[in-house]
Amino acid sequence: MRLRALLDTDALGLKLLGGEDELDRTVRGVMTTDLRDPSRYLSGGELVLTGLAWRRGPADSEPFVRLLVQAQVAALAAGEAELGSVPEDLVVACARHRLPLFAVHESVAFATITEHVVRQVSGERAGDLAAVVDRHRRMMTSGPAGGGPDVVLDLLGSDLDLRAWVLSPTGRQVAGPKDAEPALSTEVCAKLAAEHLSATRTGRRAPHRVSVGSTTYSLFPVRGRGQLPATAAGTRVAPGAASGREVRETVLSDWLLVVEADAGDWAEERLDLLYGVTQLIAVERDRRDAARTVRRRLAQEVLELVQTGAAPAEIAARLRVAAPVLLPGLGAAPHWQVVVARVEWADGDAQTGRVAQTLLEEILVDPHATGPEQSDRIAVAHTGEEAVALVPLPAVSTEHDGSEAGVLAEALLESVREPLSAGLDGDGRVTLGVSAAVHSAEGLRGALEEARHARRVAAARPGRVCAAGHQELASHVLLLPFVPDDVRRAFTARLLDPLRDYDRRHRAELIPTLEAFLDSDGSWTRCANRLHLHVNTLRYRVGRIEQLTGRDLSRLEDKLDFFLALRMS
């Protein structure tokens, strides 16, 4: 804005005392100060407001004005409340250095002037940025990408002084400002994504404001193609306007724009601009989704062949077609792992395959990866109820414990559990199962069944986000989740309740003794040393356990029953 515009606003109560020839100067900001030397806090182009507390005598005006001129401020506005009028020595100093000087009437608060200047300056910057954004939108929608989200974020930084990031629904950073220091930590990203998912699922109106420490962030949803527009005839549409079904179909796939600012008191024009930015980012999101079409189709074809019992030679031929797409330059056929995911809603809505497909593509991306995304090497298909990922492993190595390296069930969820748990709380669950690596087409059918079985194990566990791997399918732990609750309670009560009652009455610690005895493989010496007991004392306790339960801890069957009862309790 121009200095001249300040005089045209009667509500500001400004009176020009000098510098009429300089009123076409541009105001780029505003600063209130009573420091004798405020130059270190000035960057040029400011309207400086002062209550004159720095002035102790006429000799102070000249050096103060000289510092302002050297900092290239736009003008000085002095309040009349302190001295009743602006001192003549300040008027003379400003005239000597050609610095425009305004008097601020005592009835006008500096906050009123500051708010007016900030609103005008931001509005003009937003108008300039909106024009740039519009050009960029036309360029991206009519031809090749114009640089992606990073270019848009750079515009926000350079034109509106806003630091912004684009995050996936699991909190992975998709794009961020160049040279942003400090960068968003993975913990902050997870917290912001969790708040975004929770707010969107419950229909709260965007932008969502989140405070992390002393910093406030505003979250804007990035809606994909075919979803409700961010603006309609200039009016924003609240996220809650979507139906519950529509929210469920998009909440686990939409990106979000994170702005390091409190948008609670922003003007409508500024908010509309940010929603326009989200539409521009959505173009890039849709472009990336379109690029996955080939990989998804390959996965769908392989899945259909495997499920219909096609000949291994036919499946192998399809895999040979898929390998160059998923792993360009690969010399030999890779090993493969199968990952199965399912999203389940509280009301039993079963048609969630597409939702699980998009979410699984995101979960399988290394949250710390740089360069090409790992999702470029993953093919995910879906059925009506589940998503199935075919993950190629170019080189399957063996870990120190003899197991093959590859996708590990718990590692998949390590960075996404917090945001997904918050976003699904009270409404849904995500469960995953991971197979072992297979070396040929013949093994894919078994790997698919293994992954599905592991997912059912994960589904039997408590929690909103659970996973299980093939390693767990060879353990007794696999059987326990499928024992009916009434059978579980009756079995454990029959074996353990007599011991618990006795411990409660006599503080005999029979239950801890039983656990230690089984963990010591029935060795009297090792168990006694572990419990710091004499062997005779241990024999007395074990005898009491056998007397109360009617079991014999020297028999394998009875040991196994006790072991399972302790596990199920």
Side-chain angles (χ1 to χ4, degrees), residues 2-42:
R2 306 288 181 181
L3 284 174
R4 192 179 304 279
L6 294 173
L7 289 175
D8 296 336
T9 307
D10 295 337
L12 299 183
L14 296 178
K15 179 173 64 176
L16 183 65
L17 300 181
E20 185 174 0
D21 296 338
E22 306 293 333
L23 292 181
D24 286 328
R25 290 187 181 186
T26 299
V27 179
R28 296 187 176 86
V30 61
M31 176 189 178
T32 299
T33 184
D34 276 313
L35 296 174
R36 296 172 66 86
D37 181 5
S39 58
R40 75 188 70 177
Y41 305 110
L42 297 169

Side-chain angles (χ1 to χ4, degrees), residues 250-565:
T250 61
V251 68
L252 298 180
S253 60
D254 283 346
W255 288 351
L256 64 146
L257 174 66
V258 176
V259 180
E260 189 181 84
D262 187 344
D265 57 355
W266 280 5
E268 291 293 317
E269 294 81 4
R270 191 177 179 92
L271 286 172
D272 285 338
L273 171 63
L274 265 294
Y275 276 102
V277 169
T278 66
Q279 290 178 331
L280 185 54
I281 295 172
V283 173
E284 177 65 16
R285 172 61 195 270
D286 291 339
R287 192 186 309 281
R288 294 192 184 188
D289 280 346
R292 293 174 173 171
T293 302
V294 173
R295 297 193 297 277
R296 286 175 171 176
R297 186 170 63 247
L298 288 172
Q300 203 74 37
E301 292 174 355
V302 172
L303 177 61
E304 290 172 1
L305 291 173
V306 171
Q307 292 192 134
T308 57
E314 186 177 357
I315 299 174
R318 181 55 55 191
L319 289 177
R320 283 195 294 272
V321 173
V325 176
L326 299 176
L327 291 171
L330 185 69
H335 296 176
W336 303 89
Q337 270 184 290
V338 175
V339 181
V340 172
R342 187 166 180 172
V343 177
E344 298 172 293
W345 301 111
D347 60 5
D349 183 1
Q351 296 302 310
T352 58
R354 289 189 181 276
V355 177
Q357 179 185 44
T358 304
L359 180 61
L360 186 53
E361 287 172 336
E362 176 60 37
I363 288 176
L364 287 170
V365 176
D366 182 353
H368 307 294
T370 58
E373 290 184 356
Q374 185 178 335
S375 61
D376 291 340
R377 305 189 298 275
I378 297 166
V380 182
H382 74 87
T383 63
E385 299 180 347
E386 67 182 9
V388 179
L390 194 63
V391 183
L393 304 174
V396 179
S397 60
T398 301
E399 301 290 354
H400 297 301
D401 61 1
S403 62
E404 289 181 333
V407 176
L408 301 178
E410 278 305 308
L412 286 178
L413 301 181
E414 183 177 349
S415 63
V416 304
R417 181 174 276 109
E418 178 184 350
L420 290 182
S421 296
L424 294 167
D425 187 29
D427 192 32
R429 298 188 72 209
V430 173
T431 52
L432 285 85
V434 181
S435 78
V438 295
H439 309 166
S440 64
E442 288 86 347
L444 276 181
R445 185 174 182 82
L448 176 60
E449 290 305 315
E450 188 175 57
R452 283 174 170 164
H453 206 45
R455 191 208 63 78
R456 288 192 288 271
V457 172
R461 295 171 175 168
R464 292 288 169 187
V465 183
C466 299
H470 62 91
Q471 302 92 337
E472 300 174 62
L473 302 186
S475 169
H476 68 277
V477 178
L478 168 66
L479 303 175
L480 299 186
F482 299 101
V483 177
D485 288 342
D486 55 345
V487 175
R488 182 194 304 257
R489 284 193 295 270
F491 182 74
T492 57
R494 186 168 61 251
L495 281 175
L496 301 183
D497 278 2
L499 307 182
R500 292 182 178 127
D501 291 341
Y502 192 87
D503 280 348
R504 209 165 24 246
R505 294 195 308 269
H506 302 285
R507 299 180 182 177
E509 297 187 356
L510 296 184
I511 291 289
T513 300
L514 175 61
E515 291 176 333
F517 186 73
L518 295 176
D519 287 344
S520 302
D521 298 324
S523 169
W524 297 98
T525 303
R526 289 206 307 272
C527 184
N529 291 336
R530 178 173 176 175
L531 295 175
H532 305 290
L533 297 174
H534 193 277
V535 172
N536 289 341
T537 304
L538 175 60
R539 291 185 183 277
Y540 171 80
R541 289 187 183 181
V542 170
R544 180 64 67 184
I545 291 171
E546 293 174 334
Q547 178 186 8
L548 292 171
T549 61
R551 298 299 185 105
D552 183 355
L553 277 170
S554 65
R555 298 177 66 245
L556 177 61
E557 296 92 328
D558 288 343
K559 286 181 182 177
L560 181 59
D561 282 349
F562 277 123
F563 178 79
L564 292 175

Side-chain angles (χ1 to χ4, degrees), residues 98-113:
R98 300 178 63 84
L99 179 66
L101 176 63
F102 298 96
V104 182
H105 194 271
E106 61 181 6
S107 62
V108 178
F110 282 176
T112 301
I113 300 174

